[in-house]
Amino acid sequence: MSSPAPARRVLSGMRPTGRLHLGNYHGALRNWVELQYQYECYFFIADWHMLTTGYEDTSLLQEHTREVLIDWLAAGLNPGVATLFIQSHVPEHAELHLLLSMITPLGWLERVPSYKDQQEQLKDKDLGTYGFLGYPLLQSADILVYRAAYVPVGEDQVAHVELTRETARRFNHLYGREADFEAKAEAAVKSLGGRNATNYRALRRKFQEGGDTEALQRAQALVQSNNRITVADRERLLGFLHGAGVTILPEPAVLLTATPKVPGLDGRKMSKSYGNTIGLREEPDEVVKKLRAMKTDPARVRRNDPGDPDKCPVWDLHKIYSDEATRKWVVEGCRSAAIGCLDCKQRVIDKVVEEIGGMRKRAQEFEDNPELVQRIVAEGAEKAREAARDTLDEVRRAMHLRP
Ligand code: TRP
Ligand code: SF4
């Protein structure tokens, strides 16, 4: 029977786009670094995802994968705590993707907003492929193969997690049934023992009749924390809360990343495709040069023209990097023209150079020692595969691909 779904597992992935920039750092990576100390985290390089749009030229895949890995380590992802790996090293993702593809209506994939959007945006590429249509389902397999509880992503990925939830629901509905489920579930409730059984029944009723999700969570906690029941009964009790059957693939929740706006040098969002980035491990001299040339409030043509921080992208950087006192100094000095833009920028420059300096230092060890990086992802893949294999054992059995 099934093993308990890990309650606090986190999974996220990133495409190997090559060297990361401060937008990637403040938009995702910094958050992952914190999460790794609070949850059991799995982070992977989505190299197969890269192929869904970049299949024509794959020549840079190795280099870009290595660069992103080193950036991760430089940013503070800790392979002693989090599991770091490369998607294509864990073939279980592909097997689950194939199995899920059997039960996924085409309409679900065609309706994913990024499908049409990306085809519009990347007009120079032929994205009329099977792989591109299926890529949100590959993402679902990425998540479900670890039975992750949480997926830290930005707003743009929420629809993909929603598809994952629907897919899990459908899978559980189709394959999570036992012939005599109700009777077995009732017996499992009894085995919880007097007061716990009564509590479980009351909470289940509250959830089923009133949709009380707090009651659901309390019931789940009650089941999870009971270590006298068998693993199989625990799964039944969790499934019975929804009235369905055994939950083989739990539905993940989005952990929406609170992301500050990271402006690029031209004031637009920092993005590789705009060529307006500051690299995570950029040369300090280059950082200084770039930031000194960064766009400011256009109203400040001359030194004594007052400005408005709200119209200046440098101000968005102060919001990330500066303390209260400095921010007050900026607002007052900008509006009264008491400070010049270069004075203002210097405060940000100091912080960015310091931050990047730390990353450059951490990266050096890995740059000097390529085998170290190899070893980290080899171990990561081993650990990831262990978890993924457990899920697939159950999935295969539930689908009667195994006795
Ligand atoms: N699609 C994500 C992106 O483009 C990357 C990704 C792939 C991912 N699989 C995932 C993110 C699973 C979270 C979970 O950014
Ligand atoms: Fe922007 Fe600072 Fe110049 Fe004001 S003083 S326009 S906030 S750079």
Side-chain angles (χ1 to χ4, degrees):
M1 252 331 258
S2 49
S3 47
R8 290 165 73 78
R9 209 176 256 175
V10 160
L11 173 115
S12 200
M14 203 182 272
R15 291 178 176 223
T17 50
R19 292 269 177 129
L20 301 180
H21 52 71
L22 291 181
N24 302 122
Y25 178 65
H26 293 287
L29 215 41
R30 204 179 64 171
N31 186 241
W32 292 9
V33 172
E34 273 179 35
L35 290 172
Q36 71 183 339
Y37 297 110
Q38 297 159 16
Y39 297 93
E40 179 192 352
C41 286
Y42 291 78
F43 298 122
F44 70 98
I45 305 273
D47 55 349
W48 279 335
H49 283 264
M50 203 68 203
L51 297 181
T52 64
T53 51
Y55 59 86
E56 268 184 288
D57 182 3
T58 62
S59 58
L60 296 175
L61 212 43
Q62 284 303 309
E63 196 179 321
H64 284 176
T65 297
R66 216 184 74 83
E67 286 173 346
V68 172
L69 275 171
I70 293 183
D71 281 339
W72 282 9
L73 296 162
L77 282 186
N78 179 349
V81 180
T83 303
L84 311 179
F85 64 100
I86 298 169
Q87 183 185 30
S88 70
H89 296 188
V90 184
E92 284 77 8
H93 290 231
E95 183 176 346
L96 187 59
H97 178 215
L98 173 94
L99 295 174
L100 295 177
S101 77
M102 306 299 170
I103 65 167
T104 306
L106 275 179
W108 287 12
L109 297 172
E110 287 159 349
R111 276 195 298 274
V112 172
S114 60
Y115 182 57
K116 293 248 156 58
D117 288 358
Q118 291 249 56
Q119 281 186 332
E120 294 279 311
Q121 271 176 36
L122 306 174
K123 272 229 164 66
D124 52 321
K125 291 182 181 162
D126 177 5
L127 295 182
T129 57
Y130 178 51
F132 182 68
L133 176 67
Y135 107 82
L137 190 66
L138 178 59
Q139 182 162 353
S140 299
D142 297 336
I143 297 166
L144 295 174
V145 85
Y146 299 102
R147 288 179 284 191
Y150 303 109
V151 186
V153 284
E155 199 64 63
D156 62 319
Q157 298 286 316
V158 171
H160 297 159
V161 179
E162 195 44 53
L163 173 78
T164 307
R165 296 168 60 85
E166 279 169 29
T167 306
R169 227 174 285 148
R170 186 162 166 88
F171 186 93
N172 293 330
H173 176 74
L174 287 169
Y175 307 113
R177 293 189 179 280
E178 288 177 291
D180 45 358
F181 178 74
E182 296 265 331
K184 282 185 172 156
E186 278 299 344
V189 176
K190 284 215 183 71
S191 72
L192 281 173
R195 208 156 53 101
N196 280 336
T198 311
N199 276 342
Y200 176 91
R201 286 205 179 89
L203 291 167
R204 176 173 182 262
R205 198 172 327 109
K206 262 193 174 163
F207 170 63
Q208 293 205 337
E209 287 170 9
D212 184 340
T213 52
E214 202 194 308
L216 173 66
Q217 281 168 7
R218 281 173 53 205
Q220 285 167 336
L222 186 153
V223 174
Q224 296 281 14
S225 65
N226 190 314
N227 43 28
R228 290 184 318 172
I229 52 174
T230 65
V231 166
D233 273 351
R234 180 175 299 152
E235 284 303 294
R236 288 190 187 99
L237 289 169
L238 291 172
F240 195 44
L241 290 170
H242 297 274
V246 184
T247 301
I248 300 165
L249 301 175
E251 294 178 35
V254 167
L255 213 56
L256 203 59
T257 314
T259 47
K261 183 173 164 201
V262 186
L265 299 167
D266 57 1
R268 290 186 289 176
K269 179 180 172 285
M270 190 178 284
S271 160
K272 196 172 175 184
S273 56
Y274 294 151
N276 63 359
T277 61
I278 295 174
L280 219 62
R281 293 185 274 137
E282 189 136 355
E283 296 275 351
D285 290 351
E286 198 52 31
V287 175
V288 174
K289 216 161 72 197
K290 281 184 172 179
L291 283 171
R292 287 175 80 93
M294 183 165 177
K295 219 180 144 264
T296 60
D297 176 1
R300 295 207 72 180
V301 184
R302 275 174 298 265
R303 169 69 177 73
N304 2 347
D305 295 332
D308 178 358
D310 289 327
K311 294 186 180 130
C312 175
V314 177
W315 173 237
D316 288 320
L317 291 180
H318 276 292
K319 287 190 216 159
I320 297 172
Y321 288 100
S322 298
D323 57 20
E324 258 326 297
T326 306
R327 293 199 320 229
K328 191 158 169 268
W329 172 81
V330 171
V331 172
E332 285 170 5
C334 180
R335 295 213 168 111
S336 62
I339 60 170
C341 286
L342 284 178
D343 308 325
C344 178
K345 286 172 170 179
Q346 191 57 44
R347 302 284 180 105
V348 168
I349 290 172
D350 292 343
K351 292 286 186 190
V352 174
V353 166
E354 185 189 322
E355 180 173 81
I356 284 177
M359 304 219 208
R360 287 169 64 84
K361 209 163 121 227
R362 275 194 295 274
Q364 197 57 49
E365 184 193 350
F366 300 104
E367 286 284 12
D368 294 343
N369 198 347
E371 280 125 68
L372 189 55
V373 181
Q374 287 308 316
R375 206 158 63 227
I376 288 168
V377 289
E379 279 171 17
E382 244 342 285
K383 267 176 71 188
R385 285 198 81 172
E386 261 174 50
R389 275 192 203 113
D390 283 348
T391 305
L392 272 160
D393 280 346
E394 285 180 31
V395 164
R396 292 189 203 107
R397 252 178 299 155
M399 294 179 83
H400 303 111
L401 293 162
R402 292 288 185 283

